[in-house]
Amino acid sequence: MSKTYALSDLIRADNFIDGQWVPAASGKRFAVTDPATGERIVEVADSGPADARAATDAAARAFPAWRDALPKERAAVLHRWHDLMIENADELGRLISLEQGKPLAEGRGEVLYGASYVAWFAAEATRVYGDIIPNQQRGKRMTAVKEPVGIVAAITPWNFPLAMIARKIAPALAVGCTVVGKPAEDTPLTALALVLLAHEAGVPAGVLNLITASRENAVPAVADWLADSRVHKITFTGSTAVGKYLARESAGTLKKLSLELGGNAPFIVFDDADLDAAATGLMAAKFRNGGQTCVCPNRVYVQSGVYEKFADLLTTRVAALKVAPATDAAAQIGPMINARAIDKIGQHVDDAVSRGARVLTGGRRLTELGPNYYAPTVLADATKQMQLSCEETFGPVAPLFRFDTEDEAIGAANDTPFGLASYFYSQDVRRIDRVARRLEAGIVGINEGALASEAAPFGGVKESGYGREGSKYGLDDYLSIKYLCQGGLE
Ligand code: NAD
């Protein structure tokens, strides 16, 4: 199958329910804007509970046939979807950049990254094994089989408008679940385009349904899924506060939950690190997507012996970053997502400076470029008392904390309720083993800044949530185990 779309043909403004493009039942719409300029791109459906319910109805009708399809039939559909994503990677990448603001190269990179999960789970679809349990009692045969959990509600954030939803839909569809989804209000267009391609790839009507809603109307719309006993699972990526709300509100129907939540990643540079490699790793991990990723280092701990040297090395590189709209091919940092994001970054930097941090580079808004730009920033002399040490800044700000001993660094790194990613640089093999074991995080980068892969388990501990996406473990979140006990076999 081959079909390429122009960008304008990928832009959809209605919900996709039961294989049809339909407006919100209320007829309401809300504007999606370009974060680089604040200009309106298009108005999409502003859905409410009636639309959420219609999506669930369609997913319930479609479930038995999709569950009973052969795994290789589901895999074939997913492979076609993957191929369409790759064929349309340039235009999908442009759409991501348009609504989210990341540079074009990163937008296209996200398409390849998201598509890699679809290919991975297409292959995994045919490898969902159960167990024959060794005989424990005469005359009985005990087996464990895995079944799809049922209807899955997927709710995603704005920072990776394609990858976050692709890595939820792909495993769900692979094992035979049907899906109702709601992308973030800032970036619904990429998800709608993905659904268009899924339909083109042969995903049957009702198997994948997507509604869009403004922040205000998302709450009652999603509440309908939380209360509906036909929805068996919620898979959510977003902030810890909203994750906790969803866990509380879904308790009434005791849903299975996957929660990929916020982080506060530490990045530790020991005296024995290769400083050049550490600076390269930090640039990759911290400044991707303008610092708006959940695995971005939020706190950089540098050992005293190399503190000034590392600060100089980093500052030179950060000061050279090109800040520009995504449409500029040379852009390395685009606009932040919205005014709220810019305000939070400014507030974190101002608070740090008022408590003694030194600005080595950046430290200001770039209003000359547009409403949502912030200069890539390095702060020295960061301390635990600063707001940016306990909350995600979610922007291009690297605060440098000083430490003396390994114990001190690990204690500081773990001194947070969050536990998603962590990073450290050292060339001492015994230290690498010790520190990797003691860091409280779901993901540890050791002398490496780029960690994500479809073949690896992605997820957190502590208040960064639970569940894993990607890898052979990623299917488990969408499966339940059924134990079959057959008697009378003596
Ligand atoms: P958010 O929690 O504000 O919103 C996420 C989604 O939830 C959006 O679709 C939003 O509309 C919806 N939502 C918000 N409130 C809701 C409510 N009361 N009821 C129902 N739905 C609601 O997060 P965000 O600002 O879009 O994304 C940034 C956050 O996501 C950061 O904390 C980041 O660390 C986290 N994140 C985590 C991962 C991960 O894999 N752990 C990946 C990316 C982003």
Side-chain angles (χ1 to χ4, degrees), residues 155-160 164 167 182-185 215 218-219 222 236-240 242 245-246 260-263 293-294 392 394 420 458 464 469:
I155 300 152
T156 51
W158 50 264
N159 62 344
F160 290 91
M164 294 301 107
R167 72 186 198 184
K182 192 207 73 67
E185 55 280 4
R215 185 75 160 204
V219 179
V222 170
F236 171 75
T237 299
S239 61
T240 293
V242 175
Y245 160 84
L246 295 174
E260 297 278 356
L261 309 178
T293 89
C294 53
E392 277 179 307
F394 237 57
L420 187 56
F458 189 103
S464 290
E469 294 192 330

Side-chain angles (χ1 to χ4, degrees), residues 75-376:
V77 172
L78 287 174
H79 277 302
R80 286 198 295 272
W81 189 31
H82 164 268
D83 293 349
L84 283 167
M85 288 166 73
I86 298 296
E87 278 166 32
N88 289 280
D90 286 341
E91 296 308 288
L92 281 172
R94 280 179 60 200
L95 185 54
I96 293 171
S97 295
L98 178 65
E99 66 172 345
Q100 198 268 324
K102 65 182 58 163
L104 278 177
E106 287 193 34
R108 192 172 192 285
E110 185 183 337
V111 180
L112 304 186
Y113 174 61
S116 74
Y117 283 87
V118 178
W120 176 267
F121 286 115
E124 287 293 298
T126 57
R127 297 177 194 140
V128 180
Y129 293 97
D131 288 306
I132 298 169
I133 297 164
N135 252 1
Q136 304 295 327
Q137 296 167 18
R138 287 184 210 296
K140 287 187 181 172
R141 180 177 299 137
M142 303 183 209
T143 49
V145 296
K146 292 184 182 171
E147 296 187 335
V149 290
I151 300 176
V152 172
I155 300 152
T156 51
W158 50 264
N159 62 344
F160 290 91
L162 185 143
M164 294 301 107
I165 199 151
R167 72 186 198 184
K168 295 184 183 311
I169 296 172
L173 297 195
V175 300
C177 297
T178 54
V179 174
V180 294
K182 192 207 73 67
E185 55 280 4
D186 288 304
T187 58
L189 302 179
T190 308
L192 290 167
L194 270 197
V195 162
L196 171 73
L197 298 186
H199 181 56
E200 183 71 34
V203 172
V207 168
L208 175 57
N209 309 277
L210 195 81
I211 63 168
T212 57
S214 62
R215 185 75 160 204
E216 190 190 359
N217 286 329
V219 179
V222 170
D224 198 76
W225 291 337
L226 298 177
D228 194 325
S229 57
R230 295 174 300 166
V231 176
H232 292 110
K233 163 148 189 117
I234 305 284
T235 174
F236 171 75
T237 299
S239 61
T240 293
V242 175
K244 287 179 180 175
Y245 160 84
L246 295 174
R248 271 195 312 274
E249 295 298 311
S250 64
T253 49
L254 219 58
K255 298 196 195 310
K256 191 174 164 103
L257 289 170
S258 294
L259 300 175
E260 297 278 356
L261 309 178
N264 182 8
F267 186 107
I268 309 171
V269 182
F270 288 103
D271 277 346
D272 57 35
D274 174 338
L275 291 191
D276 200 52
T280 302
L282 183 56
M283 293 301 292
K286 173 74 238 184
F287 292 97
R288 192 162 59 106
N289 201 14
Q292 304 172 106
T293 89
C294 53
V295 292
C296 272
N298 201 50
R299 301 166 292 150
V300 184
Y301 294 100
V302 188
Q303 204 158 5
S304 311
V306 295
Y307 189 91
E308 302 302 339
K309 193 169 170 202
F310 185 75
D312 285 349
L313 202 59
L314 184 69
T315 303
T316 308
R317 296 194 192 190
V318 173
L321 285 171
K322 165 95 172 162
V323 185
T327 42
D328 182 332
Q332 292 170 294
I333 304 272
M336 301 294 105
I337 188 68
N338 54 32
R340 226 171 355 126
I342 278 282
D343 289 347
K344 183 176 186 190
I345 297 164
Q347 192 196 329
H348 275 198
V349 171
D350 292 348
D351 169 74
V353 169
S354 75
R355 293 172 194 270
R358 277 182 295 135
V359 177
L360 301 185
T361 184
R364 65 181 191 93
R365 287 179 68 161
L366 300 174
T367 40
E368 60 275 26
L369 290 178
N372 295 328
Y373 289 90
Y374 201 90

Side-chain angles (χ1 to χ4, degrees), residues 32-45:
V32 182
T33 55
D34 176 350
T37 59
E39 282 166 18
R40 186 171 65 183
I41 305 168
V42 68
E43 292 199 338
V44 298

